[in-house]
Coordinates of all heavy atoms in Angstrom, one line a residue:
M291 N 124.4 84.3 75.9 CA 123.6 83.8 77.0 C 122.2 84.3 76.8 O 121.2 83.7 77.2 CB 124.1 84.2 78.3 CG 123.3 83.9 79.5 SD 124.0 84.5 81.0 CE 123.1 83.6 82.2
F292 N 122.0 85.5 76.4 CA 120.7 86.1 76.3 C 119.8 85.7 75.1 O 118.7 86.1 75.0 CB 120.8 87.7 76.3 CG 121.4 88.2 77.6 CD1 122.7 88.8 77.5 CD2 120.8 88.0 78.8 CE1 123.2 89.3 78.7 CE2 121.4 88.5 79.9 CZ 122.7 89.1 79.9
E293 N 120.4 84.9 74.2 CA 119.6 84.4 73.1 C 118.5 83.5 73.6 O 117.5 83.2 72.8 CB 120.5 83.6 72.1 CG 121.2 82.4 72.6 CD 122.4 82.6 73.4 OE1 122.9 83.7 73.5 OE2 122.9 81.6 74.0
K294 N 118.6 82.9 74.8 CA 117.5 82.1 75.3 C 116.4 82.8 76.1 O 115.5 82.3 76.6 CB 118.1 81.0 76.2 CG 119.0 80.0 75.5 CD 119.6 79.0 76.4 CE 120.4 78.0 75.7 NZ 120.9 76.9 76.5
Y295 N 116.6 84.1 76.1 CA 115.7 85.0 76.9 C 114.6 85.5 76.0 O 114.8 85.8 74.9 CB 116.4 86.2 77.5 CG 117.2 85.8 78.8 CD1 118.1 84.8 78.8 CD2 117.0 86.6 80.0 CE1 118.8 84.5 79.9 CE2 117.7 86.3 81.1 CZ 118.6 85.2 81.1 OH 119.3 84.9 82.2
T296 N 113.4 85.7 76.6 CA 112.3 86.4 75.9 C 112.6 87.9 75.9 O 113.5 88.4 76.6 CB 110.9 86.2 76.7 OG1 111.1 86.8 77.9 CG2 110.6 84.7 76.8
Q297 N 111.9 88.6 75.1 CA 112.1 90.1 75.0 C 111.8 90.7 76.4 O 112.6 91.6 76.8 CB 111.2 90.7 73.9 CG 111.5 92.2 73.7 CD 113.0 92.4 73.4 OE1 113.5 91.8 72.5 NE2 113.6 93.3 74.1
K298 N 110.8 90.2 77.1 CA 110.5 90.8 78.4 C 111.7 90.6 79.4 O 112.1 91.5 80.2 CB 109.3 90.2 79.0 CG 108.0 90.7 78.4 CD 106.8 90.1 79.1 CE 105.5 90.7 78.4 NZ 104.3 90.2 79.1
A299 N 112.3 89.4 79.3 CA 113.5 89.1 80.2 C 114.6 90.0 79.8 O 115.3 90.5 80.7 CB 113.8 87.6 80.1
I300 N 114.8 90.2 78.5 CA 115.9 91.0 78.1 C 115.7 92.5 78.6 O 116.6 93.1 79.0 CB 116.1 91.0 76.5 CG1 116.6 89.6 76.1 CG2 117.0 92.1 76.0 CD1 116.6 89.3 74.6
D301 N 114.4 92.9 78.5 CA 114.1 94.2 79.0 C 114.4 94.4 80.5 O 114.9 95.4 80.9 CB 112.6 94.6 78.8 CG 112.3 94.7 77.3 OD1 113.2 94.9 76.5 OD2 111.0 94.6 77.0
V302 N 114.2 93.4 81.3 CA 114.5 93.4 82.7 C 116.1 93.5 82.9 O 116.5 94.3 83.7 CB 114.0 92.1 83.4 CG1 114.6 92.0 84.8 CG2 112.5 92.1 83.5
V303 N 116.8 92.7 82.1 CA 118.3 92.7 82.2 C 118.8 94.1 81.8 O 119.7 94.7 82.5 CB 118.9 91.6 81.4 CG1 120.4 91.7 81.4 CG2 118.5 90.2 82.0
Q304 N 118.3 94.6 80.7 CA 118.7 96.0 80.3 C 118.4 97.0 81.3 O 119.2 98.0 81.5 CB 118.1 96.3 78.9 CG 118.7 95.5 77.8 CD 118.1 95.7 76.4 OE1 116.9 96.1 76.4 NE2 118.8 95.5 75.4
A305 N 117.2 96.9 81.9 CA 116.8 97.9 82.9 C 117.8 97.8 84.1 O 118.2 98.8 84.7 CB 115.4 97.7 83.4
A306 N 118.2 96.6 84.5 CA 119.1 96.4 85.6 C 120.5 97.0 85.3 O 121.0 97.7 86.1 CB 119.3 94.9 85.9
Q307 N 120.9 96.8 84.0 CA 122.2 97.5 83.6 C 122.1 99.0 83.7 O 123.0 99.7 84.1 CB 122.5 97.0 82.2 CG 123.0 95.6 82.1 CD 123.2 95.2 80.7 OE1 122.3 95.3 79.8 NE2 124.3 94.6 80.4
N308 N 120.9 99.5 83.2 CA 120.8 101.0 83.2 C 120.7 101.5 84.6 O 121.3 102.6 84.8 CB 119.5 101.3 82.4 CG 119.6 101.1 80.9 OD1 120.7 101.1 80.4 ND2 118.5 100.9 80.3
Y309 N 120.1 100.9 85.5 CA 120.1 101.4 86.9 C 121.4 101.3 87.5 O 121.8 102.2 88.2 CB 119.0 100.6 87.7 CG 117.6 101.0 87.5 CD1 116.7 100.2 86.8 CD2 117.2 102.3 87.8 CE1 115.5 100.6 86.5 CE2 115.9 102.7 87.6 CZ 115.0 101.9 86.9 OH 113.7 102.3 86.6
A310 N 122.2 100.2 87.2 CA 123.6 100.2 87.8 C 124.4 101.3 87.3 O 125.1 102.0 88.0 CB 124.2 98.8 87.4
L311 N 124.3 101.6 85.9 CA 125.0 102.7 85.4 C 124.5 104.1 85.9 O 125.3 104.9 86.2 CB 124.8 102.7 83.8 CG 125.7 101.7 83.1 CD1 125.2 101.6 81.6 CD2 127.1 102.0 83.1
Q312 N 123.2 104.2 86.0 CA 122.6 105.4 86.6 C 123.1 105.7 88.0 O 123.4 106.9 88.3 CB 121.1 105.3 86.5 CG 120.4 106.5 87.1 CD 118.9 106.2 87.1 OE1 118.4 105.5 86.4 NE2 118.2 106.9 88.1
F313 N 123.3 104.7 88.8 CA 123.7 104.8 90.2 C 125.3 104.9 90.3 O 125.8 105.0 91.4 CB 123.2 103.7 91.0 CG 121.8 103.6 91.1 CD1 121.2 102.3 91.4 CD2 120.9 104.7 91.0 CE1 119.8 102.2 91.5 CE2 119.6 104.6 91.1 CZ 119.0 103.3 91.4
N314 N 126.0 104.8 89.1 CA 127.4 104.8 89.1 C 128.0 103.6 89.9 O 129.1 103.7 90.5 CB 128.0 106.1 89.6 CG 127.8 107.3 88.7 OD1 127.8 107.2 87.5 ND2 127.5 108.4 89.3
H315 N 127.3 102.5 89.8 CA 127.8 101.3 90.5 C 128.8 100.6 89.5 O 128.6 100.7 88.3 CB 126.7 100.4 90.9 CG 125.9 101.0 92.0 ND1 124.6 100.5 92.3 CD2 126.1 102.0 92.8 CE1 124.1 101.2 93.3 NE2 125.0 102.1 93.6
D316 N 129.7 99.9 90.0 CA 130.8 99.3 89.1 C 130.4 98.0 88.5 O 131.0 97.4 87.6 CB 132.1 99.1 89.9 CG 132.0 98.3 91.1 OD1 130.9 98.0 91.6 OD2 133.1 97.9 91.6
K317 N 129.2 97.4 89.0 CA 128.7 96.1 88.3 C 127.3 96.0 88.6 O 126.7 96.6 89.5 CB 129.5 94.9 88.8 CG 129.6 94.7 90.3 CD 130.4 93.5 90.7 CE 131.9 93.8 90.7 NZ 132.7 92.8 91.4
V318 N 126.6 95.1 87.8 CA 125.2 94.8 88.0 C 125.1 93.8 89.1 O 125.7 92.7 89.1 CB 124.6 94.3 86.7 CG1 123.1 93.9 87.0 CG2 124.7 95.3 85.6
L319 N 124.4 94.1 90.1 CA 124.1 93.3 91.3 C 122.7 92.7 91.3 O 121.9 93.1 90.5 CB 124.4 94.0 92.6 CG 125.7 94.7 92.7 CD1 125.7 95.6 94.0 CD2 126.8 93.7 92.8
S320 N 122.5 91.7 92.2 CA 121.1 91.1 92.3 C 120.1 92.2 92.6 O 119.0 92.1 92.1 CB 121.1 90.1 93.3 OG 121.5 90.5 94.6
Q321 N 120.5 93.2 93.3 CA 119.6 94.3 93.7 C 119.1 95.1 92.4 O 118.0 95.5 92.3 CB 120.2 95.3 94.6 CG 120.5 94.7 96.0 CD 121.9 94.2 96.1 OE1 122.5 93.6 95.2 NE2 122.5 94.4 97.3
H322 N 120.0 95.2 91.5 CA 119.7 95.9 90.2 C 118.7 95.0 89.4 O 117.8 95.6 88.7 CB 121.0 96.2 89.4 CG 121.9 97.1 90.1 ND1 123.2 96.6 90.4 CD2 121.8 98.3 90.5 CE1 123.8 97.6 91.0 NE2 123.0 98.7 91.1
I323 N 118.9 93.7 89.4 CA 118.0 92.8 88.7 C 116.6 93.0 89.4 O 115.6 93.0 88.6 CB 118.5 91.4 88.8 CG1 119.8 91.2 87.9 CG2 117.4 90.4 88.2 CD1 120.4 89.9 88.0
L324 N 116.5 93.1 90.7 CA 115.2 93.3 91.4 C 114.6 94.6 90.9 O 113.4 94.6 90.5 CB 115.4 93.3 92.9 CG 114.1 93.6 93.7 CD1 113.0 92.6 93.5 CD2 114.5 93.8 95.1
I325 N 115.3 95.6 90.9 CA 114.7 96.9 90.4 C 114.3 96.8 88.9 O 113.2 97.2 88.5 CB 115.8 98.1 90.4 CG1 116.1 98.4 91.9 CG2 115.3 99.3 89.8 CD1 117.2 99.4 92.0
G326 N 115.1 96.1 88.1 CA 114.7 95.9 86.7 C 113.4 95.1 86.6 O 112.5 95.4 85.8
L327 N 113.3 94.1 87.4 CA 112.1 93.2 87.4 C 110.9 94.0 87.8 O 109.8 94.0 87.2 CB 112.3 92.0 88.3 CG 111.3 90.9 88.3 CD1 111.0 90.4 86.9 CD2 111.6 89.8 89.3
V328 N 111.0 94.8 88.9 CA 109.9 95.5 89.4 C 109.5 96.6 88.4 O 108.3 96.8 88.1 CB 110.2 96.2 90.8 CG1 109.1 97.2 91.2 CG2 110.4 95.1 91.9
S329 N 110.5 97.2 87.8 CA 110.2 98.3 86.8 C 109.5 97.8 85.6 O 108.8 98.6 84.9 CB 111.4 99.1 86.5 OG 112.3 98.4 85.6
Q330 N 109.7 96.6 85.2 CA 109.2 96.0 84.0 C 107.9 95.2 84.2 O 107.3 94.8 83.3 CB 110.2 95.1 83.3 CG 111.5 95.9 82.9 CD 111.2 97.0 81.8 OE1 110.5 96.7 80.8 NE2 111.7 98.2 82.1
S331 N 107.5 95.0 85.5 CA 106.3 94.2 85.8 C 105.1 95.2 85.9 O 105.1 96.2 86.6 CB 106.5 93.5 87.1 OG 107.5 92.6 87.0
K332 N 104.0 94.8 85.1 CA 102.9 95.7 85.1 C 101.6 94.8 85.3 O 101.6 93.6 85.1 CB 102.7 96.4 83.7 CG 104.0 97.2 83.3 CD 104.1 98.4 84.1 CE 105.3 99.3 83.7 NZ 106.3 99.4 84.6
G333 N 100.5 95.4 85.7 CA 99.2 94.8 85.7 C 99.1 93.5 86.6 O 99.6 93.5 87.7
V334 N 98.6 92.5 86.0 CA 98.4 91.2 86.7 C 99.7 90.6 87.2 O 99.8 90.1 88.3 CB 97.6 90.2 85.9 CG1 97.5 88.8 86.5 CG2 96.2 90.7 85.5
Q335 N 100.7 90.7 86.3 CA 102.0 90.2 86.7 C 102.5 90.8 87.9 O 103.0 90.2 88.9 CB 103.0 90.4 85.5 CG 104.4 89.9 85.8 CD 105.3 90.2 84.6 OE1 105.2 91.3 84.0 NE2 106.2 89.3 84.3
A336 N 102.4 92.2 88.1 CA 102.9 92.9 89.2 C 102.1 92.5 90.5 O 102.7 92.3 91.6 CB 102.8 94.4 89.0
K337 N 100.8 92.3 90.3 CA 100.0 91.9 91.4 C 100.3 90.5 91.9 O 100.4 90.2 93.1 CB 98.5 91.9 91.0 CG 97.9 93.3 91.1 CD 96.4 93.3 90.9 CE 95.9 94.7 90.9 NZ 94.9 94.9 91.9
L338 N 100.5 89.5 91.0 CA 100.9 88.2 91.3 C 102.2 88.1 92.1 O 102.3 87.3 93.0 CB 100.9 87.3 90.1 CG 99.6 86.9 89.5 CD1 99.9 86.2 88.1 CD2 98.8 86.0 90.4
L339 N 103.1 89.0 91.7 CA 104.4 89.0 92.4 C 104.5 89.9 93.6 O 105.5 89.9 94.3 CB 105.5 89.4 91.4 CG 105.7 88.4 90.2 CD1 106.6 89.1 89.2 CD2 106.2 87.1 90.7
G340 N 103.4 90.6 93.9 CA 103.3 91.5 95.0 C 104.1 92.8 94.7 O 104.3 93.6 95.7
F341 N 104.5 93.1 93.5 CA 105.2 94.3 93.2 C 104.4 95.6 93.2 O 104.9 96.7 93.4 CB 105.9 94.2 91.8 CG 107.0 93.2 91.8 CD1 107.4 92.7 90.5 CD2 107.6 92.7 92.9 CE1 108.5 91.8 90.5 CE2 108.6 91.7 92.8 CZ 109.0 91.3 91.6
D342 N 103.0 95.4 93.2 CA 102.2 96.5 93.2 C 102.2 97.2 94.6 O 101.7 98.3 94.8 CB 100.7 96.1 92.8 CG 100.1 95.1 93.7 OD1 100.9 94.2 94.1 OD2 98.9 95.1 93.9
K343 N 102.7 96.5 95.6 CA 102.8 97.0 97.0 C 104.1 97.6 97.3 O 104.3 98.1 98.4 CB 102.5 95.9 98.0 CG 101.1 95.3 97.9 CD 100.9 94.1 98.8 CE 99.5 93.5 98.7 NZ 99.3 92.8 97.5
I344 N 105.0 97.6 96.3 CA 106.3 98.2 96.5 C 106.4 99.6 96.1 O 105.9 99.9 95.0 CB 107.4 97.4 95.7 CG1 107.5 95.9 96.3 CG2 108.8 98.0 95.7 CD1 108.4 95.0 95.5
N345 N 106.9 100.5 96.9 CA 107.2 101.9 96.6 C 108.4 101.9 95.7 O 109.5 101.7 96.3 CB 107.2 102.7 97.8 CG 107.4 104.2 97.4 OD1 108.3 104.5 96.6 ND2 106.6 105.0 98.1
F346 N 108.3 102.1 94.4 CA 109.5 102.0 93.6 C 110.5 103.0 93.9 O 111.7 102.7 93.9 CB 109.0 102.2 92.1 CG 110.2 101.8 91.1 CD1 110.6 100.6 90.9 CD2 110.8 102.9 90.4 CE1 111.6 100.3 90.1 CE2 111.8 102.6 89.6 CZ 112.2 101.3 89.4
G347 N 110.1 104.3 94.2 CA 111.1 105.3 94.6 C 111.9 104.9 95.8 O 113.1 105.0 95.9
E348 N 111.2 104.4 96.8 CA 112.0 103.9 98.0 C 112.9 102.8 97.7 O 114.0 102.7 98.3 CB 110.9 103.6 99.2 CG 110.2 104.7 99.7 CD 109.2 104.3 100.8 OE1 109.2 103.2 101.2 OE2 108.4 105.2 101.1
L349 N 112.4 101.8 96.9 CA 113.3 100.7 96.5 C 114.6 101.2 95.8 O 115.6 100.7 96.2 CB 112.5 99.8 95.6 CG 113.3 98.6 95.0 CD1 113.7 97.6 96.1 CD2 112.5 97.8 94.0
T350 N 114.4 102.1 94.9 CA 115.6 102.6 94.2 C 116.6 103.3 95.1 O 117.8 103.1 95.0 CB 115.3 103.4 93.0 OG1 114.5 104.5 93.4 CG2 114.6 102.7 91.9
I351 N 116.1 104.1 96.1 CA 116.9 104.8 97.0 C 117.6 103.7 97.9 O 118.8 103.9 98.2 CB 116.0 105.7 97.9 CG1 115.6 106.9 97.0 CG2 116.9 106.2 99.1 CD1 114.6 107.8 97.7
E352 N 116.9 102.7 98.4 CA 117.5 101.7 99.2 C 118.6 101.0 98.5 O 119.7 100.7 99.0 CB 116.4 100.7 99.7 CG 116.9 99.7 100.7 CD 117.3 100.3 102.0 OE1 116.8 101.3 102.4 OE2 118.3 99.7 102.6
V353 N 118.4 100.6 97.2 CA 119.4 99.9 96.5 C 120.6 100.8 96.2 O 121.7 100.4 96.4 CB 118.8 99.4 95.1 CG1 120.0 98.9 94.2 CG2 117.8 98.3 95.4
H354 N 120.3 102.0 95.8 CA 121.4 103.0 95.6 C 122.3 103.1 96.9 O 123.5 103.1 96.8 CB 120.8 104.4 95.2 CG 121.9 105.4 94.9 ND1 122.3 106.3 95.8 CD2 122.6 105.6 93.7 CE1 123.3 107.0 95.3 NE2 123.5 106.7 94.0
N355 N 121.7 103.3 98.0 CA 122.4 103.5 99.2 C 123.1 102.2 99.8 O 124.1 102.3 100.5 CB 121.5 104.0 100.3 CG 121.1 105.4 100.0 OD1 121.7 106.2 99.3 ND2 119.9 105.8 100.6
S356 N 122.6 101.0 99.4 CA 123.2 99.8 99.9 C 124.3 99.2 99.1 O 125.0 98.3 99.6 CB 122.1 98.8 100.1 OG 121.6 98.3 98.8
C357 N 124.5 99.7 97.9 CA 125.5 99.1 97.0 C 126.8 100.0 97.0 O 126.7 101.2 97.3 CB 125.0 99.0 95.6 SG 123.6 97.9 95.5
A358 N 127.9 99.3 96.7 CA 129.2 100.1 96.6 C 129.1 101.0 95.5 O 128.7 100.7 94.4 CB 130.3 99.1 96.4
I359 N 129.5 102.3 95.7 CA 129.4 103.3 94.7 C 130.9 103.7 94.3 O 131.7 103.9 95.1 CB 128.7 104.6 95.2 CG1 127.2 104.2 95.6 CG2 128.7 105.7 94.2 CD1 126.5 105.2 96.3
H360 N 131.0 103.8 93.0 CA 132.3 104.2 92.5 C 132.0 105.3 91.5 O 132.0 105.2 90.3 CB 133.0 103.0 91.8 CG 133.3 101.9 92.7 ND1 134.4 101.9 93.5 CD2 132.6 100.8 92.9 CE1 134.4 100.8 94.2 NE2 133.3 100.1 93.9
P361 N 131.9 106.6 92.0 CA 131.4 107.7 91.1 C 132.4 108.1 90.0 O 132.0 108.7 89.1 CB 131.3 108.9 92.1 CG 132.0 108.5 93.3 CD 132.1 107.0 93.4
D362 N 133.7 107.7 90.2 CA 134.7 108.1 89.1 C 134.6 107.1 88.0 O 135.2 107.3 87.0 CB 136.1 108.2 89.7 CG 136.2 109.2 90.7 OD1 135.5 110.2 90.6 OD2 137.0 109.1 91.7
K363 N 134.0 106.0 88.2 CA 134.0 104.9 87.1 C 132.8 105.1 86.2 O 131.6 105.1 86.6 CB 133.9 103.6 87.8 CG 134.1 102.4 86.8 CD 134.4 101.2 87.6 CE 134.7 100.1 86.6 NZ 135.5 99.1 87.1
K364 N 133.1 105.4 85.0 CA 132.0 105.6 83.9 C 132.3 104.5 82.9 O 133.0 104.7 81.9 CB 132.1 107.0 83.3 CG 131.8 108.1 84.2 CD 130.3 108.2 84.5 CE 130.0 109.4 85.4 NZ 128.7 109.4 85.9
N365 N 131.7 103.3 83.1 CA 132.0 102.2 82.2 C 130.7 101.8 81.5 O 129.7 101.4 82.1 CB 132.5 101.0 83.0 CG 132.9 99.8 82.1 OD1 132.8 99.9 80.9 ND2 133.4 98.8 82.8
E366 N 130.6 102.0 80.2 CA 129.4 101.6 79.4 C 129.2 100.2 79.4 O 128.1 99.7 79.2 CB 129.5 102.2 78.0 CG 129.6 103.8 78.0 CD 128.3 104.4 78.5 OE1 127.2 103.8 78.2 OE2 128.3 105.4 79.2
N367 N 130.3 99.4 79.5 CA 130.2 97.9 79.4 C 130.3 97.3 80.8 O 131.2 96.7 81.2 CB 131.4 97.3 78.5 CG 131.3 97.8 77.1 OD1 130.2 97.8 76.6 ND2 132.4 98.2 76.6
I368 N 129.3 97.6 81.6 CA 129.2 97.2 83.0 C 129.1 95.7 83.1 O 128.5 95.0 82.3 CB 128.1 97.9 83.7 CG1 128.2 97.7 85.2 CG2 126.8 97.4 83.2 CD1 127.3 98.7 86.0
I369 N 129.8 95.1 84.0 CA 129.9 93.7 84.2 C 128.8 93.2 85.2 O 128.3 94.0 86.0 CB 131.2 93.1 84.6 CG1 131.6 93.7 86.0 CG2 132.3 93.5 83.6 CD1 132.9 93.1 86.6
F370 N 128.5 91.9 85.2 CA 127.6 91.3 86.1 C 128.3 90.7 87.3 O 129.3 90.0 87.0 CB 126.7 90.3 85.4 CG 125.7 90.9 84.5 CD1 126.0 91.2 83.2 CD2 124.4 91.1 84.9 CE1 125.1 91.7 82.4 CE2 123.4 91.7 84.1 CZ 123.8 92.0 82.8
S371 N 127.9 90.9 88.5 CA 128.5 90.2 89.6 C 128.3 88.7 89.5 O 127.4 88.3 88.8 CB 127.9 90.7 90.9 OG 126.6 90.3 91.1
S372 N 129.0 87.9 90.2 CA 128.9 86.5 90.2 C 127.5 86.1 90.6 O 126.8 85.2 90.1 CB 129.9 85.8 91.0 OG 129.9 86.1 92.3
E373 N 126.9 86.8 91.7 CA 125.6 86.5 92.1 C 124.5 86.8 91.0 O 123.6 86.0 90.8 CB 125.3 87.4 93.4 CG 124.0 87.1 94.0 CD 123.8 87.9 95.3 OE1 123.7 89.1 95.2 OE2 123.7 87.3 96.4
A374 N 124.7 87.9 90.3 CA 123.8 88.3 89.3 C 123.8 87.3 88.1 O 122.8 86.9 87.6 CB 124.0 89.7 88.8
R375 N 125.1 86.9 87.8 CA 125.2 85.9 86.7 C 124.5 84.6 87.1 O 123.9 83.9 86.3 CB 126.7 85.6 86.4 CG 127.3 86.7 85.6 CD 128.7 86.4 85.0 NE 129.6 85.8 86.0 CZ 130.5 86.5 86.7 NH1 130.5 87.8 86.6 NH2 131.3 85.9 87.6
N376 N 124.7 84.2 88.4 CA 124.1 83.0 88.9 C 122.5 83.1 88.8 O 121.9 82.1 88.4 CB 124.5 82.7 90.3 CG 124.1 81.4 90.8 OD1 124.1 80.4 90.1 ND2 123.8 81.3 92.1
I377 N 122.0 84.2 89.1 CA 120.5 84.4 89.0 C 120.1 84.2 87.6 O 119.1 83.5 87.3 CB 120.1 85.8 89.5 CG1 120.2 85.9 91.0 CG2 118.7 86.1 89.1 CD1 120.1 87.2 91.6
L378 N 120.8 84.8 86.6 CA 120.4 84.8 85.2 C 120.6 83.3 84.7 O 119.7 82.9 83.9 CB 121.3 85.7 84.4 CG 121.1 87.2 84.8 CD1 122.1 88.0 84.0 CD2 119.7 87.7 84.5
K379 N 121.6 82.6 85.1 CA 121.8 81.2 84.7 C 120.6 80.3 85.3 O 120.1 79.5 84.6 CB 123.1 80.7 85.2 CG 123.4 79.2 84.7 CD 124.7 78.7 85.3 CE 124.9 77.3 84.9 NZ 123.8 76.4 84.9
K380 N 120.3 80.6 86.5 CA 119.2 79.8 87.1 C 117.9 80.0 86.5 O 117.1 79.1 86.3 CB 119.1 80.1 88.6 CG 120.2 79.4 89.4 CD 120.1 79.6 90.9 CE 121.1 78.9 91.6 NZ 121.0 79.0 93.1
A381 N 117.7 81.3 86.0 CA 116.4 81.6 85.2 C 116.4 80.8 83.9 O 115.3 80.2 83.6 CB 116.4 83.1 84.9
V382 N 117.5 80.6 83.2 CA 117.5 79.8 82.0 C 117.3 78.4 82.3 O 116.5 77.7 81.7 CB 118.9 80.0 81.3 CG1 119.0 79.0 80.2 CG2 119.0 81.4 80.8
D383 N 118.0 77.9 83.4 CA 117.8 76.5 83.8 C 116.4 76.2 84.2 O 115.9 75.2 83.8 CB 118.8 76.1 85.0 CG 120.2 76.2 84.6 OD1 120.6 76.3 83.4 OD2 121.1 76.2 85.6
L384 N 115.8 77.0 85.0 CA 114.4 76.8 85.4 C 113.5 76.8 84.1 O 112.6 76.0 84.0 CB 113.9 77.9 86.4 CG 112.5 77.8 86.9 CD1 112.3 76.5 87.6 CD2 112.2 78.9 87.8
S385 N 113.7 77.7 83.2 CA 112.9 77.8 82.0 C 113.0 76.5 81.2 O 112.0 76.0 80.7 CB 113.3 79.0 81.2 OG 112.6 79.1 80.0
S386 N 114.2 76.0 81.1 CA 114.4 74.7 80.4 C 113.7 73.5 81.1 O 113.1 72.7 80.5 CB 115.9 74.4 80.3 OG 116.6 75.3 79.5
E387 N 113.8 73.5 82.4 CA 113.1 72.4 83.2 C 111.6 72.5 83.0 O 111.0 71.4 82.9 CB 113.4 72.6 84.7 CG 114.8 72.2 85.1 CD 115.0 72.5 86.6 OE1 114.0 72.4 87.4 OE2 116.2 72.7 87.0
L388 N 111.0 73.7 82.8 CA 109.6 73.8 82.6 C 109.2 73.8 81.2 O 108.0 74.0 80.8 CB 109.2 75.2 83.3 CG 109.4 75.3 84.8 CD1 109.1 76.7 85.2 CD2 108.5 74.3 85.5
N389 N 110.2 73.5 80.3 CA 109.9 73.5 78.8 C 109.3 74.8 78.4 O 108.4 74.8 77.6 CB 109.1 72.3 78.4 CG 109.8 71.0 78.7 OD1 111.0 70.9 78.4 ND2 109.1 70.0 79.2
S390 N 109.8 75.9 78.9 CA 109.2 77.2 78.6 C 110.2 78.0 77.7 O 111.3 77.9 77.8 CB 108.9 78.0 79.9 OG 108.4 79.2 79.6

């Protein structure tokens, strides 16, 4: 699925996976994708998306506290929730529609 992604998009997905693992969550959720997107957005891109107004530390704490935590689970091959998979699929579909 990721062969259609740009390197920047892959970096966002990898960041989302890393945050889910760091938080000991059992799967990648849409919230992790948001953190990945915010963490990888810089400069003009961040300003256009309004991410420059987000306190990243507060965002990560909020996501950590709002998601189901399974501290005994140490899975290097973390799965994506159905919602997260849907977001990633829609990103590919939108990119195709825009011929991007």
Side-chain angles (χ1 to χ4, degrees):
M291 175 180 195
F292 298 115
E293 65 276 353
K294 295 182 179 183
Y295 281 55
T296 64
Q297 186 56 52
K298 285 184 180 183
I300 291 169
D301 292 344
V302 168
V303 172
Q304 287 175 335
Q307 290 174 305
N308 290 336
Y309 282 109
L311 285 169
Q312 177 184 334
F313 297 155
N314 292 322
H315 294 163
D316 59 343
K317 53 181 85 165
V318 176
L319 304 172
S320 59
Q321 295 93 321
H322 299 117
I323 294 173
L324 174 62
I325 292 176
L327 187 58
V328 172
S329 73
Q330 297 298 311
S331 297
K332 306 287 184 247
V334 174
Q335 181 184 36
K337 281 188 178 236
L338 286 172
L339 296 171
F341 292 162
D342 59 326
K343 296 176 178 74
I344 294 175
N345 181 310
F346 189 73
E348 289 178 11
L349 175 64
T350 57
I351 290 168
E352 184 66 33
V353 169
H354 182 266
N355 292 337
S356 70
C357 298
I359 300 172
H360 299 277
D362 295 333
K363 188 164 188 156
K364 295 285 185 190
N365 187 358
E366 296 296 322
N367 297 317
I368 192 163
I369 63 169
F370 288 84
S371 69
S372 59
E373 186 179 65
R375 284 193 310 269
N376 190 35
I377 289 169
L378 298 174
K379 182 184 179 319
K380 285 184 179 184
V382 170
D383 293 346
L384 181 59
S385 179
S386 293
E387 285 178 28
L388 298 172
N389 295 320
S390 177

